[in-house]
Amino acid sequence: MRHVAIQIMGQTLTVASDADEAWVKALAESVDRKIREVLANGRTVVSTSAAIAVALNLADELEKLKQQHQKLMNRIEVLNLKIAGLVEAPE
């Protein structure tokens, strides 16, 4: 596990991760950008509230993607079964 220094809202944080340093920094930049967008839109003026709003939005996106992924996996399974039914078993 490596330690990666990131910056979010001007604060430097050190996070531990098994992921590549560039990936961790890219995630931090994305979070920072989203928080700044929330603050710029005037929906909130407290950075903690902005961070919570961003966390909820990201959690929503994640859950929707998980549901889409599961639907695709189910569809693939159905198609695999159909394909298997079309292929004749060797004698």
Side-chain angles (χ1 to χ4, degrees):
M1 182 153 312
R2 64 179 58 98
H3 296 281
V4 181
I6 60 170
Q7 277 206 348
I8 297 177
M9 294 299 298
Q11 294 185 11
T12 301
L13 306 164
T14 301
V15 295
S17 177
D18 290 329
D20 182 65
E21 181 176 342
W23 175 253
V24 174
K25 287 188 176 196
L27 291 175
E29 289 172 8
S30 176
V31 169
D32 185 66
R33 184 175 53 255
K34 288 179 184 293
I35 291 173
R36 291 181 190 281
E37 287 172 4
V38 168
L39 291 171
N41 288 334
R43 291 187 273 183
T44 184
V45 293
V46 179
S47 60
T48 304
S49 296
I52 292 168
V54 168
L56 288 171
N57 287 337
L58 290 172
D60 180 58
E61 288 178 33
L62 175 62
E63 290 305 315
K64 286 178 181 174
L65 288 171
K66 283 181 179 180
Q67 290 173 3
Q68 290 174 356
H69 176 262
Q70 188 57 53
K71 286 179 184 177
L72 289 172
M73 293 302 293
N74 292 344
R75 181 71 177 139
I76 288 169
E77 181 63 27
V78 168
L79 292 173
N80 279 337
L81 291 172
K82 285 183 179 180
I83 290 170
L86 294 175
V87 176
E88 292 182 26
E91 292 183 27

